[in-house]
Amino acid sequence: MGKISQETLAEMIGTTRARVSFFMNKFRKLGYIDYNGNVKVHNSLLNVVLYDKPEIVQRDGRGRRGAAARAASEGSIT
C-alpha cells in the first residue's frame, strides 16, 4: 500500500488529523507501533483492538500477554 497522509487517514475513519496524530503518538509511546514517517504496527496493537487485552511491552520490545490473547494467537480461540 502506498503512503497515506494523516489527513487522508482522518477522512477515511471520520475524525480529525489532530486526533490521528494524537493516537499515533500515543501508540508509539506505548510500544504498539514504530512511527518515523513510515508505520510498523506490532501484534500488541492487534491484541488490544481485537481482544481488549493490552500486551505489556517491556523495554527490550518483548511482550507478556494474557492467557486469552496468547491462546488466540496460537489458534486456540476461534
Side-chain angles (χ1 to χ4, degrees), residues 24-33:
M24 296 281 280
N25 286 321
K26 184 173 184 168
F27 291 161
R28 183 181 47 79
K29 288 176 186 173
L30 290 170
Y32 295 146
I33 65 173

Side-chain angles (χ1 to χ4, degrees), residues 64-76:
R64 297 188 323 242
R65 295 178 291 168
R70 190 170 39 255
S73 69
E74 294 169 357
S76 302

Side-chain angles (χ1 to χ4, degrees), residues 3 24 28 33-40:
K3 288 188 176 186
M24 296 281 280
R28 183 181 47 79
I33 65 173
D34 288 328
Y35 176 61
N36 61 355
N38 294 314
V39 177
K40 178 181 177 188

Side-chain angles (χ1 to χ4, degrees), residues 11-77:
E11 290 174 8
M12 291 171 64
I13 62 175
T15 191
T16 64
R17 191 215 50 82
R19 291 303 287 169
V20 169
S21 180
F22 171 82
F23 279 102
M24 296 281 280
N25 286 321
K26 184 173 184 168
F27 291 161
R28 183 181 47 79
K29 288 176 186 173
L30 290 170
Y32 295 146
I33 65 173
D34 288 328
Y35 176 61
N36 61 355
N38 294 314
V39 177
K40 178 181 177 188
V41 178
H42 299 280
N43 287 338
S44 56
L45 180 58
L46 182 61
N47 288 331
V48 170
V49 172
L50 292 178
Y51 307 111
D52 198 22
K53 302 257 186 226
E55 180 173 308
I56 300 168
V57 178
Q58 300 172 355
R59 287 187 181 269
D60 62 5
R62 294 180 307 168
R64 297 188 323 242
R65 295 178 291 168
R70 190 170 39 255
S73 69
E74 294 169 357
S76 302
I77 296 177

